[in-house]
Amino acid sequence: MADGIPIEISGLTKRFGQVTAVDDLSFTVEPGRVTGFLGPNGAGKTTTLRALLGLVRPTAGTATFGGTRYRDLPRPLETVGAALDAAFHPGRTARDHLRVVASAGGIRSARVPDVLAQVGLSEFADRRVGGFSLGMRQRLALATTLLGDPRVLVLDEPINGLDPEGIKWIRGFLRSLAGEGRTVLVSSHLLSEVQQSVDEVVIISRGRLVKSGSLASLELEVSPRTVVDSPHRLRLAAALDQAGLDYTEGPEGMIVDEPDPGVVGHAAFVGGVELSSLHRLASGLEDSFLALVGEGEE
Ligand SMILES: Nc1ncnc2c1ncn2[C@@H]1O[C@H](COP(=O)(O)OP(=O)(O)OP(=O)(O)O)[C@@H](O)[C@H]1O
Ligand SMILES: [Mg+2]
């Protein structure tokens, strides 16, 4: 596998007349990870991706692949696979659609059956795309991005409209692509939709960066609590008091104001208390995301 290529967004601003769609946005997307590009409707996700792919001209700043603008890439389809507003000729079969794109991009047609198989569309290869379900179209869009065996994938809302089976499939698929050292950027307006698919998150709102980092760090930050229980709750309570930890009692045990279960486990150990459960409280992430992006204001 060749070296990975990061996506680098630096000071990117895009104005459409009076509307500032993207506002001094900077972030980096690393290879070998699946990165979720998140924000509510109108946050500027598609505009950022369009700037990255040279489809709109930035008002200021740059959006590059390891320092190279899309239009300066020597063999773009073999570097970047992008799916934005996928449109297909309804009368064409899936195979023909891929052949046309391959031929236009200077990619050998032997790749066509390969990518059809990769996305699980082989048996539908010779059906007209006009009769495809939304899930099948999403798979065909993904197959199209893979034609050049690119090291970077840029996918705008690829999970939107998929059924649970399709979502499960695409999660595994994105992970395997990142596992091969590729850079995978996936936009979504729902954190819950990509929560199980991504390693990293970049969250924007009204064109501005709200937060970027690992999903694990976001989970820690927004739900900084640990749930712990013991067959001897009174002794557990005493051990938590002894360690200076704040808690409330819930049906599943003590909910402790401490993000690291290790700290809570250590307090129990020091107090000599047997535990029946110990885990981080994971709920509330979507609520926290909505709070971060200011949903419900206006
Ligand atoms: N070509 C354009 N002309 C004028 N305004 C535009 C244009 N493209 C986008 N905008 C505006 O820029 C803002 C950001 O839009 P954008 O499509 O980038 O958001 P998004 O995050 O992709 O939203 P969604 O989740 O709905 O896809 C919106 O206010 C939108 O109306
Ligand atoms: Mg969009």
Side-chain angles (χ1 to χ4, degrees):
M1 181 54 52
D3 290 342
I5 303 172
I7 294 169
E8 293 167 355
I9 308 292
S10 178
L12 186 71
T13 297
K14 178 63 190 179
R15 283 189 210 100
F16 296 103
Q18 297 294 90
V19 177
T20 303
V22 178
D23 191 1
D24 194 21
L25 186 61
S26 300
F27 63 90
T28 301
V29 181
E30 299 293 346
R33 322 276 288 157
V34 181
T35 300
F37 187 31
L38 304 168
N41 294 137
K45 303 179 297 293
T46 300
T47 303
T48 302
L49 300 182
R50 288 173 62 81
L52 179 61
L53 295 164
L55 299 170
V56 297
R57 180 196 290 271
T59 306
T62 57
T64 68
F65 299 90
T68 307
R69 287 178 302 183
Y70 186 84
R71 72 171 116 117
D72 296 329
L73 292 170
R75 298 187 65 82
L77 293 195
E78 287 158 49
T79 307
V80 182
L84 267 70
D85 325 310
F88 306 109
H89 191 299
R92 264 188 204 141
T93 66
R95 190 191 306 279
D96 286 342
H97 162 76
L98 291 167
R99 279 188 180 146
V100 168
V101 176
S103 150
I107 292 162
R108 63 206 165 80
S109 60
R111 282 288 297 158
V112 170
D114 292 350
V115 298
L116 283 166
Q118 258 184 296
V119 303
L121 277 184
S122 299
E123 62 177 303
F124 304 105
D126 298 306
R127 279 219 215 155
R128 287 178 202 283
V129 175
F132 272 20
S133 69
L134 180 55
M136 289 160 80
R137 283 164 191 270
Q138 292 277 36
R139 287 181 193 236
L140 181 57
L142 206 49
T144 311
T145 69
L146 295 169
L147 275 171
D149 195 18
R151 283 181 283 156
V152 183
L153 285 136
V154 178
L155 310 171
D156 198 12
E157 306 262 0
I159 301 174
N160 208 4
L162 289 185
D163 61 16
E165 192 206 342
I167 292 175
K168 195 171 167 215
W169 170 79
I170 202 168
R171 276 180 187 152
F173 193 66
L174 296 176
R175 286 226 175 268
S176 70
L177 291 168
E180 292 163 353
R182 297 177 213 261
T183 309
V184 183
L185 183 61
V186 182
S187 80
S188 175
H189 56 281
L190 288 174
L191 175 58
S192 53
E193 189 179 76
V194 298
Q195 200 175 328
Q196 292 179 52
S197 315
V198 303
D199 309 297
E200 305 286 326
V201 291
V202 173
I203 300 175
I204 66 168
S205 177
R206 292 163 203 185
R208 304 190 69 99
L209 185 70
V210 173
K211 189 160 288 292
S212 69
S214 68
L215 182 67
S217 70
L218 181 69
E219 280 172 339
L220 268 182
E221 188 174 327
V222 300
S223 53
R225 286 176 296 173
T226 298
V227 185
V228 62
D229 207 0
S230 165
H232 315 287
R233 276 208 189 167
L234 284 177
R235 289 178 57 191
L236 175 60
L240 296 174
D241 286 336
Q242 189 64 37
L245 292 166
D246 287 332
Y247 55 90
T248 51
E249 192 165 350
E252 286 175 36
M254 308 302 203
I255 301 164
V256 187
D257 289 341
E258 165 56 51
D260 183 357
V263 169
V264 176
H266 182 73
F269 174 78
V270 169
V273 184
E274 178 187 346
L275 294 184
S276 52
S277 72
L278 176 65
H279 59 94
R280 186 185 305 149
L281 188 61
S283 65
L285 193 55
E286 186 72 20
D287 287 344
S288 305
F289 168 67
L290 294 177
L292 277 174
V293 299
E295 191 91 315
E297 291 174 25
E298 304 285 317

mmCIF file of all heavy atoms in Angstrom, residues 39-47 49 85 156-157 187-189, ligand 2:
data_model
loop_
_atom_site.group_PDB
_atom_site.id
_atom_site.type_symbol
_atom_site.label_atom_id
_atom_site.label_comp_id
_atom_site.label_asym_id
_atom_site.label_seq_id
_atom_site.Cartn_x
_atom_site.Cartn_y
_atom_site.Cartn_z
ATOM 1 N N GLY A 39 -22.649 17.872 10.844
ATOM 2 C CA GLY A 39 -23.241 19.183 11.081
ATOM 3 C C GLY A 39 -24.677 19.139 10.605
ATOM 4 O O GLY A 39 -25.018 18.317 9.753
ATOM 5 N N PRO A 40 -25.535 20.005 11.142
ATOM 6 C CA PRO A 40 -26.938 19.996 10.733
ATOM 7 C C PRO A 40 -27.115 20.468 9.288
ATOM 8 O O PRO A 40 -26.166 20.940 8.667
ATOM 9 C CB PRO A 40 -27.605 20.957 11.723
ATOM 10 C CG PRO A 40 -26.511 21.825 12.237
ATOM 11 C CD PRO A 40 -25.245 21.020 12.159
ATOM 12 N N ASN A 41 -28.311 20.351 8.781
ATOM 13 C CA ASN A 41 -28.604 20.804 7.424
ATOM 14 C C ASN A 41 -28.178 22.261 7.268
ATOM 15 O O ASN A 41 -28.437 23.077 8.145
ATOM 16 C CB ASN A 41 -30.110 20.692 7.121
ATOM 17 C CG ASN A 41 -30.616 19.256 7.092
ATOM 18 O OD1 ASN A 41 -31.661 18.947 7.607
ATOM 19 N ND2 ASN A 41 -29.842 18.362 6.497
ATOM 20 N N GLY A 42 -27.495 22.533 6.156
ATOM 21 C CA GLY A 42 -27.072 23.905 5.881
ATOM 22 C C GLY A 42 -25.799 24.323 6.593
ATOM 23 O O GLY A 42 -25.393 25.484 6.519
ATOM 24 N N ALA A 43 -25.127 23.391 7.278
ATOM 25 C CA ALA A 43 -23.927 23.737 8.052
ATOM 26 C C ALA A 43 -22.732 24.074 7.156
ATOM 27 O O ALA A 43 -21.789 24.726 7.612
ATOM 28 C CB ALA A 43 -23.555 22.583 8.978
ATOM 29 N N GLY A 44 -22.757 23.597 5.910
ATOM 30 C CA GLY A 44 -21.651 23.873 4.993
ATOM 31 C C GLY A 44 -20.840 22.645 4.614
ATOM 32 O O GLY A 44 -19.759 22.769 4.020
ATOM 33 N N LYS A 45 -21.348 21.465 4.903
ATOM 34 C CA LYS A 45 -20.615 20.228 4.608
ATOM 35 C C LYS A 45 -20.407 20.046 3.107
ATOM 36 O O LYS A 45 -19.274 19.869 2.639
ATOM 37 C CB LYS A 45 -21.370 19.002 5.171
ATOM 38 C CG LYS A 45 -21.639 19.077 6.664
ATOM 39 C CD LYS A 45 -22.404 17.865 7.166
ATOM 40 C CE LYS A 45 -23.791 17.704 6.580
ATOM 41 N NZ LYS A 45 -24.756 18.745 6.974
ATOM 42 N N THR A 46 -21.515 20.085 2.358
ATOM 43 C CA THR A 46 -21.402 19.851 0.918
ATOM 44 C C THR A 46 -20.552 20.945 0.265
ATOM 45 O O THR A 46 -19.731 20.662 -0.615
ATOM 46 C CB THR A 46 -22.804 19.772 0.270
ATOM 47 O OG1 THR A 46 -23.512 18.686 0.881
ATOM 48 C CG2 THR A 46 -22.712 19.547 -1.221
ATOM 49 N N THR A 47 -20.708 22.171 0.711
ATOM 50 C CA THR A 47 -19.911 23.268 0.144
ATOM 51 C C THR A 47 -18.418 23.022 0.378
ATOM 52 O O THR A 47 -17.590 23.236 -0.523
ATOM 53 C CB THR A 47 -20.336 24.619 0.750
ATOM 54 O OG1 THR A 47 -21.736 24.801 0.517
ATOM 55 C CG2 THR A 47 -19.560 25.772 0.146
ATOM 56 N N LEU A 49 -16.965 20.104 0.761
ATOM 57 C CA LEU A 49 -16.542 18.989 -0.095
ATOM 58 C C LEU A 49 -16.446 19.435 -1.551
ATOM 59 O O LEU A 49 -15.552 18.997 -2.291
ATOM 60 C CB LEU A 49 -17.507 17.809 0.054
ATOM 61 C CG LEU A 49 -17.625 17.243 1.482
ATOM 62 C CD1 LEU A 49 -18.569 16.041 1.518
ATOM 63 C CD2 LEU A 49 -16.254 16.852 2.042
ATOM 64 N N ASP A 85 -23.846 14.130 -4.678
ATOM 65 C CA ASP A 85 -25.051 14.188 -5.523
ATOM 66 C C ASP A 85 -24.940 13.233 -6.707
ATOM 67 O O ASP A 85 -24.985 13.675 -7.848
ATOM 68 C CB ASP A 85 -25.292 15.598 -6.123
ATOM 69 C CG ASP A 85 -24.901 16.728 -5.208
ATOM 70 O OD1 ASP A 85 -25.320 16.690 -4.058
ATOM 71 O OD2 ASP A 85 -24.176 17.638 -5.656
ATOM 72 N N ASP A 156 -20.445 12.087 0.393
ATOM 73 C CA ASP A 156 -21.414 13.013 0.980
ATOM 74 C C ASP A 156 -22.689 12.246 1.316
ATOM 75 O O ASP A 156 -23.403 11.797 0.418
ATOM 76 C CB ASP A 156 -21.698 14.155 -0.012
ATOM 77 C CG ASP A 156 -22.332 15.374 0.655
ATOM 78 O OD1 ASP A 156 -22.343 15.442 1.901
ATOM 79 O OD2 ASP A 156 -22.813 16.258 -0.085
ATOM 80 N N GLU A 157 -22.970 12.101 2.586
ATOM 81 C CA GLU A 157 -24.182 11.430 3.087
ATOM 82 C C GLU A 157 -24.387 10.044 2.464
ATOM 83 O O GLU A 157 -25.467 9.740 1.956
ATOM 84 C CB GLU A 157 -25.425 12.299 2.816
ATOM 85 C CG GLU A 157 -25.323 13.718 3.352
ATOM 86 C CD GLU A 157 -26.020 13.915 4.702
ATOM 87 O OE1 GLU A 157 -26.583 12.937 5.223
ATOM 88 O OE2 GLU A 157 -25.961 15.029 5.227
ATOM 89 N N SER A 187 -19.678 12.414 5.204
ATOM 90 C CA SER A 187 -20.492 13.447 5.854
ATOM 91 C C SER A 187 -21.818 12.878 6.309
ATOM 92 O O SER A 187 -22.312 11.879 5.772
ATOM 93 C CB SER A 187 -20.733 14.623 4.904
ATOM 94 O OG SER A 187 -21.775 14.312 4.012
ATOM 95 N N SER A 188 -22.401 13.522 7.304
ATOM 96 C CA SER A 188 -23.733 13.148 7.765
ATOM 97 C C SER A 188 -24.293 14.290 8.591
ATOM 98 O O SER A 188 -23.543 15.033 9.220
ATOM 99 C CB SER A 188 -23.674 11.886 8.618
ATOM 100 O OG SER A 188 -24.968 11.609 9.146
ATOM 101 N N HIS A 189 -25.636 14.442 8.578
ATOM 102 C CA HIS A 189 -26.219 15.453 9.464
ATOM 103 C C HIS A 189 -26.623 14.828 10.798
ATOM 104 O O HIS A 189 -27.115 15.519 11.683
ATOM 105 C CB HIS A 189 -27.398 16.166 8.795
ATOM 106 C CG HIS A 189 -28.470 15.250 8.314
ATOM 107 N ND1 HIS A 189 -28.370 14.550 7.144
ATOM 108 C CD2 HIS A 189 -29.635 14.890 8.881
ATOM 109 C CE1 HIS A 189 -29.451 13.810 6.991
ATOM 110 N NE2 HIS A 189 -30.229 13.991 8.031
HETATM 111 MG MG MG B 2 -25.120 18.599 2.036
#
